[in-house]
Amino acid sequence: MNLDALLDRLAAVEPTEQPFISLYVGTRPDNTGRAHWGPIVRKELAERARSFGERTLARGTYDADAGRILQWLESEPRPSAHGLALFACGAARIFEAVELNVPVETELVVGRGPHLYPLARLLDQGRRYAVAVTDTHQARIFVVALGGIRERKSVENAKLSRPAAGGWSQARYQRHIDKFHIDKFHREHAKELVETLHRIVREEGIERVLLAGDEVVIPLVREALPKMLAARVVEIGGLDLTSSEAEILTQTLEIERREDARDDAGRVAAARAGRLLAELQRVLDAAPPRHMVTPGGFRMSVAMSNCGAVGWVSDAGGYRYDAIDPDSGRPWPPMPASFLESAQRAAVEAGYRGFAPDACLISRYEPGARLTLHQDRDEEDFGQPIVSISLGLPALFLFGGLKRSEKAARVPLGHGDAVVWGGPARLRYHGVAALADGLHPLTGRFRFNLSFRRAV
Ligand code: SIN
Ligand code: FE2
């Protein structure tokens, strides 16, 4: 069974009105050599049934799905499997059951759609990461896999290395080395560290590098990072060259777990995003993107379109929402169900229930296109949030404050990422930095953004 394909298939499932059962079973025998999962799973499934009212439709479909699961569990799995994953919802016409060759935690989740993070996590197993701890003279690099340090390397700046114990003698060095040279040596050290890291990452197929260092060396390392490496680096605090290996291991395992959880969520989102793109194509065929003109007479670098009951338009007369596409004279294309569903899912995850967008502003960015800091304030109801979904090429989202002058945070956004802002943040300034050139497997040289609002 191809788990990747399974994940994609399940990620495309629309939420259902009826219960959707996701069941992960750890089937490894305990130290007596016996597997105990059978009775546990039966009990869990039976207990959960009681959360539905007797003789309700939900209870009926749940019982039917649970019955099918039990039947499969009794007849199918080989004793050699380490784990099992089952997904069942008759109402959504889904029944998937797979044997896993890696252990999983037993977990029963009943919701409106499949629970996919454990599956996404399985696909990521066996991942290794590197940790680099550095100051301006010296660096230690560790490769961590399967929860332990597997390899150690150190990089030392020969010209500026300090004596083994104690600080280096300021007085002696200052006589020989002026500030310019020190900077140069620091830069050389950063470069050497980056080269070593680059080699390790390439040779060992490492996906993530956790980097710790002081405020002098980190900017120099950042500057020296080639693109491929920069994309894998996560800067972390709390470690330095005096940290013990145990500290390095426990701290980075924790960070790695957090980053993994983010990646798993990202994988699921990316699998869903593929479907949004297919719908987007249909919408844009009906209402092609166009470069609107600002009231001040500037042609926008981002090409825009809309779907939904109303669409955002800008022309010499100002900004407004309009039910008619001025280019075609016809209403905007309707908002596809999968758009609405993704927007509502993101809103709920961010804590906004009942989001009912009537407009989806579609923005198409090509390399160089950007959106200057602005507020979204053409909507009537600021009580509802903005939900923004990114597709295709990555971008840097600029998220400022309530005043234009406040410094904006730079948030990297990738394919399938969603940003939600509402409540006290509803009127925060935001924008997009000039899009870097690139090639995305699904969108080529474009980034698309879907921005959902309650406009009228
Ligand atoms: C917008 O502000 O409407 C679009 C933001 C984005 O493209 O991410
Ligand atoms: Fe905006």
Side-chain angles (χ1 to χ4, degrees):
M1 162 75 72
N2 177 344
L3 290 185
D4 266 302
L6 177 65
L7 177 66
D8 284 348
R9 243 185 351 263
L10 289 170
V13 171
E14 303 274 354
T16 69
E17 294 302 318
Q18 302 310 326
F20 195 116
I21 305 178
S22 306
L23 173 65
Y24 294 87
V25 187
T27 53
R28 277 227 296 221
D30 65 10
N31 48 19
T32 65
R34 299 240 297 278
H36 291 299
W37 56 271
I40 296 172
V41 166
R42 222 165 288 129
K43 183 159 158 273
E44 288 267 327
L45 281 169
E47 260 169 27
R48 199 63 63 90
R50 287 200 281 279
S51 63
F52 303 103
E54 294 277 355
R55 282 192 291 279
T56 55
L57 181 57
R59 175 65 184 264
T61 56
Y62 177 89
D63 284 345
D65 291 331
R68 197 162 168 202
I69 286 175
L70 288 172
Q71 201 181 358
W72 188 88
L73 288 175
E74 266 151 36
S75 56
E76 292 293 330
R78 283 168 301 162
S80 60
H82 287 288
L84 308 167
L86 296 99
F87 304 90
C89 178
R93 291 207 190 72
I94 295 283
F95 185 85
E96 300 272 6
V98 282
E99 293 176 1
L100 308 167
N101 53 16
V102 283
V104 284
E105 301 248 343
T106 299
E107 187 179 9
L108 170 66
V109 178
V110 182
R112 293 188 58 207
H115 176 62
L116 295 176
Y117 293 175
L119 187 62
R121 199 163 309 139
L122 290 180
L123 291 168
D124 285 342
Q125 264 191 6
R127 199 148 62 176
R128 17 173 77 224
Y129 64 94
V131 187
V133 186
T134 182
D135 64 11
T136 47
H137 307 69
Q138 221 185 340
R140 293 157 74 200
I141 303 173
F142 305 91
V143 174
V144 184
L146 299 172
I149 292 180
R150 306 287 154 206
E151 222 183 292
R152 299 160 178 82
K153 272 206 168 53
S154 57
V155 176
E156 206 155 324
N157 189 323
K159 298 195 192 91
L160 212 55
S161 64
R162 52 183 135 195
W168 51 298
S169 156
Q170 287 277 353
R172 214 182 98 219
Y173 275 91
Q174 266 163 10
R175 249 182 287 131
H176 298 288
I177 306 170
D178 58 29
K179 168 106 174 56
F180 171 81
H181 283 102
I182 292 181
D183 279 353
K184 186 164 160 280
F185 291 144
H186 290 175
R187 243 172 254 283
E188 273 171 19
H189 169 66
K191 203 166 148 249
E192 201 181 331
L193 165 61
V194 165
E195 276 164 13
T196 311
L197 266 179
H198 201 176
R199 197 175 54 243
I200 294 175
V201 163
R202 246 194 346 250
E203 284 170 4
E204 314 232 355
I206 282 171
E207 299 194 19
R208 187 147 43 225
V209 179
L210 306 180
L211 174 67
D214 58 55
E215 66 278 14
V216 179
V217 72
I218 289 293
L220 300 177
V221 174
R222 222 183 272 144
E223 224 169 83
L225 286 173
K227 241 193 176 145
M228 162 276 195
L229 204 51
R232 289 163 206 242
V233 166
V234 177
E235 292 177 22
I236 62 172
L239 294 175
D240 59 38
L241 284 171
T242 64
S243 307
S244 69
E245 288 204 358
E247 278 169 332
I248 287 176
L249 192 58
T250 48
Q251 284 229 30
T252 60
L253 279 172
E254 189 53 43
I255 292 163
E256 183 64 6
R257 253 195 295 277
R258 194 188 69 210
E259 293 290 321
D260 269 358
R262 236 223 304 269
D263 283 2
D264 294 341
R267 260 192 103 115
V268 172
R272 287 198 188 107
R275 269 192 56 245
L276 295 181
L277 276 176
E279 297 277 12
L280 179 62
Q281 188 56 56
R282 275 194 284 279
V283 168
L284 295 182
D285 286 345
R290 75 289 310 259
H291 294 274
M292 295 186 191
V293 176
T294 65
F298 293 103
R299 173 187 187 266
M300 297 180 72
S301 62
V302 178
M304 290 176 170
S305 183
N306 292 278
C307 61
V310 289
W312 185 86
V313 286
S314 172
D315 56 25
Y319 308 122
R320 66 180 183 282
Y321 282 97
D322 203 318
I324 301 298
D325 173 354
D327 277 17
S328 68
R330 290 193 306 266
W332 296 102
M335 192 184 298
S338 61
F339 278 31
L340 180 62
E341 183 254 299
S342 291
Q344 287 177 332
R345 187 200 306 265
V348 167
E349 275 177 28
Y352 298 95
R353 296 197 167 270
F355 179 46
D358 53 7
C360 169
L361 170 58
I362 301 161
S363 304
R364 190 190 69 190
Y365 296 74
E366 52 195 329
R370 57 197 272 270
L371 198 61
T372 51
L373 285 181
H374 65 280
Q375 293 170 297
D376 291 351
R377 54 180 324 144
D378 302 322
E379 300 73 30
E380 261 157 38
D381 180 7
F382 296 151
Q384 299 218 15
I386 300 282
V387 173
S388 160
I389 298 179
S390 293
L391 301 169
L393 281 183
L396 265 185
F397 183 64
L398 309 173
F399 198 47
L402 292 171
K403 289 206 275 301
R404 188 190 296 274
S405 56
E406 273 175 66
K407 195 171 156 44
R410 299 163 79 81
V411 185
L413 293 181
H415 181 60
D417 282 348
V419 186
V420 180
W421 63 100
R426 174 62 178 73
L427 289 177
R428 279 175 69 166
Y429 277 88
H430 59 278
V432 177
L435 194 77
D437 203 354
L439 207 54
H440 189 274
L442 298 176
T443 64
R445 292 182 78 218
F446 290 124
R447 165 186 187 251
F448 293 93
N449 179 260
L450 309 178
S451 173
F452 296 88
R453 305 94 192 267
R454 179 73 195 192
V456 297

